[in-house]
Amino acid sequence: MPTPHYGQPRYRTIADELRHRIENGIIQPGALLPAESTLTAEFQASRGTIRQAIAALREEQLVTTEHGRGTYAHTPQHKSRIDKEIETETLQRQIPADPELASLFEVELGTALFEEQILTRRNGAVETVTRLYRVR
Amino acid sequence: MPTPHYGQPRYRTIADELRHRIENGIIQPGALLPAESTLTAEFQASRGTIRQAIAALREEQLVTTEHGRGTYAHTPQHKSRIDKEIETETLQRQIPADPELASLFEVELGTALFEEQILTRRNGAVETVTRLYRVR
DNA sequence: AGAAATTTGTCCGTATGTATC
DNA sequence: AGATACATACGGACAAATTTC
């Protein structure tokens, strides 16, 4: 079995197709892409090639991949609109580092971290909760 | 022959070693790295693993590769400029609502929430972790 | 100029490890 | 605990770009 790749490489063609689906909402923002095994079947390509295509999308910041979970499509929302209807509430406190934060900050599990929590409300209902962590 | 990778993956170890050589001038800035075949012999790893290590360095902007030519080490000027920049990493995932979030959003405990996590790094170290939650 | 050698690029198949559901 | 999904690693084959002779 030869492996010709005249012109455009296969993994790039696949990446282009997946990008198209994400940008056109065929794959919803935040949704999981089909599993590698599924894509393997659909594109009739080896898993390595599929992974190469996904790696290309990852470099474009178009998707993120989580071990054992899957690959998520990004939301193309770069809207920095400031809505005046939105009320915010801010709260500051200290919390112990959970395993993930401890790992990210490279501190011991349970180390006190500085946390700022910002609520945004629309019509009274909480719309988003933002938590910002820093080492103290 | 099994292919265990307890702890640190092999390609990362190799990438670390090559990074060390570049940063310490063992490989001169602008110089060619050893060929993949040479590295394969030195590290006793498959070509794929060597290529993965080099790909990691490429993502760090520490080297560039040219087809048929080789991989060049970057100049320290370039590197230090990159290091002064603040890098961000974004991750999107779904997580179950903890008690506080459930209360704020007025949903059942454990309801799947949409989470976007943004890391900011300065010189490689995580400076802040921001987590933004929404109901989906 | 041309052929051969060198070096990176693409693709496949397989096996096993690790994280998540 | 089992199933599913991504991660790592090996090996082989052929393509394409560059350098060398």
Side-chain angles (χ1 to χ4, degrees):
Chain A
M1 257 86 115
T3 309
H5 48 276
Y6 304 107
Q8 171 128 320
R10 208 121 137 60
Y11 79 90
R12 210 158 275 291
T13 305
I14 296 170
D16 289 345
E17 171 59 24
L18 292 176
R19 189 185 308 103
H20 171 265
R21 291 186 194 175
I22 292 169
E23 289 175 344
N24 291 73
I26 300 168
I27 296 174
Q28 295 290 325
L32 273 176
L33 267 64
E36 291 173 357
S37 58
T38 307
L39 296 173
T40 289
E42 176 181 348
F43 291 103
Q44 292 290 302
S46 78
R47 202 183 147 212
T49 301
I50 297 297
R51 283 177 60 76
Q52 221 174 336
I54 292 175
L57 297 179
R58 210 158 35 219
E59 284 181 24
E60 295 174 30
Q61 314 260 343
L62 201 62
V63 301
T64 53
T65 302
E66 291 180 42
H67 193 163
R69 230 176 238 180
T71 297
Y72 293 89
H74 272 192
T75 65
Q77 56 166 358
H78 296 309
K79 51 177 184 185
S80 58
R81 60 162 175 71
I82 296 168
D83 194 13
K84 299 183 184 76
E85 307 293 328
I86 294 177
E87 309 156 18
T88 66
E89 273 173 52
T90 302
L91 154 73
Q92 296 182 344
R93 60 189 171 184
Q94 292 206 357
I95 55 99
D98 67 30
E100 187 177 9
L101 290 173
S103 160
L104 289 169
F105 286 121
E106 295 177 14
V107 298
E108 288 293 321
L109 188 78
T111 301
L113 295 178
F114 179 78
E115 177 186 345
E116 185 172 331
Q117 176 172 287
I118 301 132
L119 298 185
T120 66
R121 293 175 182 276
R122 184 188 296 274
N123 300 329
V126 174
E127 193 165 71
T128 67
V129 176
T130 303
R131 290 172 174 168
L132 190 150
Y133 301 93
R134 272 193 221 96
V135 281
R136 272 312 284 165
Chain B
M1 301 312 107
T3 310
H5 49 279
Y6 303 108
Q8 172 126 315
R10 208 124 140 57
Y11 79 89
R12 216 174 289 276
T13 305
I14 295 170
D16 290 345
E17 171 59 24
L18 293 175
R19 189 186 308 103
H20 172 266
R21 291 186 194 175
I22 292 170
E23 289 176 343
N24 291 72
I26 300 169
I27 296 174
Q28 296 291 326
L32 275 176
L33 267 63
E36 291 172 358
S37 58
T38 306
L39 295 174
T40 289
E42 174 181 348
F43 291 103
Q44 290 289 302
S46 77
R47 197 182 153 212
T49 301
I50 297 297
R51 284 177 61 76
Q52 217 174 338
I54 292 175
L57 298 179
R58 212 159 32 222
E59 283 182 25
E60 295 174 30
Q61 315 255 349
L62 201 62
V63 301
T64 53
T65 302
E66 292 179 39
H67 191 166
R69 221 170 250 198
T71 298
Y72 292 90
H74 273 194
T75 68
Q77 290 91 346
H78 187 203
K79 184 183 104 53
S80 61
R81 191 177 60 75
I82 294 290
D83 273 6
K84 288 197 180 87
E85 291 175 8
I86 297 174
E87 301 158 20
T88 66
E89 280 172 46
T90 303
L91 166 83
Q92 296 180 340
R93 59 188 172 185
Q94 296 204 7
I95 53 100
D98 67 31
E100 187 178 10
L101 290 172
S103 159
L104 288 168
F105 285 120
E106 295 176 15
V107 298
E108 288 293 322
L109 188 76
T111 300
L113 294 178
F114 184 77
E115 180 192 58
E116 186 170 334
Q117 176 172 288
I118 300 136
L119 297 186
T120 67
R121 291 177 184 274
R122 185 185 299 273
N123 296 330
V126 173
E127 196 165 68
T128 66
V129 176
T130 304
R131 290 174 175 167
L132 190 150
Y133 302 92
R134 275 193 220 94
V135 281
R136 280 297 282 181

